[in-house]
Amino acid sequence: MGLTIGEGQDGSPLRWGKWDGHALIVHSFGDEDRVLLGVSPSGDRLLTVTHDQDVLAVHLVADGSVMAELNTDVLPPHPAFEDENTDDEAQAFFDHEGGFVDENTLVVGTVESDEEFGTGRHWLVDAVHMQLIDQITYPFEVSGLPKALGDGTWYTVSNLDRALHIWAL
């Protein structure tokens, strides 16, 4: 079982525990503050985002080691962002939601950081090499965060929570 302990501005330590048949064994992911976003369909890997929401990482469940990372500096600014304003607030950051669409593909969002400029964006990421695949283009405006199901699909909820939209690659 994975558990992120939200401590507000003080951090978010991640714990990973399992029952070995005799005792509950709980591991810490070092001194890093990581928010658990998802577990791969095989159960072998974890997806996390740093407390500052600037780095996604895929970890091995066995020992917590980082297999690959993706930094937000690869994300383009929101299309509605005015280029003359160069403060850090225009830099996109990853949301506290996302996960494995399938064993090798992630879906993540930058909805929270995009809201100042317009519609939030969702991204597909190669989970093996942690490379940005592309921004997701939907046939109509989608609000909210993407939630991965691990079977090749993910879903979004409409703005007024009246509809559930299921998406596939």
Side-chain angles (χ1 to χ4, degrees):
M1 180 172 124
L3 177 66
T4 295
I5 304 165
E7 297 177 343
Q9 70 185 21
D10 294 332
S12 53
L14 173 60
R15 303 293 184 258
W16 188 255
K18 67 179 182 177
W19 181 255
D20 71 358
H22 303 287
L24 178 62
I25 308 297
V26 178
H27 297 283
S28 167
F29 278 64
D31 294 331
E32 293 185 61
D33 283 330
R34 299 273 184 174
V35 176
L36 178 62
L37 300 183
V39 180
S40 68
S42 67
D44 295 336
R45 296 177 293 155
L46 305 175
L47 174 64
T48 67
V49 66
T50 55
H51 184 258
D52 293 333
Q53 297 174 265
D54 59 348
V55 179
L56 288 174
V58 172
H59 304 258
L60 288 175
V61 168
D63 63 5
S65 63
V66 174
M67 295 178 62
E69 293 182 321
L70 179 68
N71 194 296
T72 54
D73 60 8
V74 302
L75 298 171
H78 194 280
F81 173 67
E82 296 294 329
D83 288 329
E84 67 236 21
N85 184 357
T86 58
D87 64 6
D88 288 340
E89 292 186 29
Q91 177 62 45
F93 55 83
F94 297 113
D95 295 315
H96 285 128
E97 186 71 54
F100 288 84
V101 173
D102 58 34
E103 197 65 35
N104 298 315
T105 311
L106 306 171
V107 63
V108 296
T110 54
V111 175
E112 189 178 328
S113 62
D114 290 342
E115 68 186 357
E116 178 181 344
F117 306 107
T119 303
R121 298 172 292 170
H122 299 169
W123 307 90
L124 291 175
V125 175
D126 176 326
V128 176
H129 302 102
M130 289 304 279
Q131 294 176 340
L132 198 60
I133 296 172
D134 207 352
Q135 180 180 342
I136 300 172
T137 303
Y138 295 102
F140 51 85
E141 189 172 311
V142 172
S143 62
L145 303 168
K147 295 164 181 70
L149 298 172
D151 64 353
T153 64
W154 68 97
Y155 71 92
T156 58
V157 178
S158 68
N159 204 16
L160 298 174
D161 294 338
R162 293 190 178 155
L164 178 73
H165 303 285
I166 299 177
W167 307 96
L169 295 175

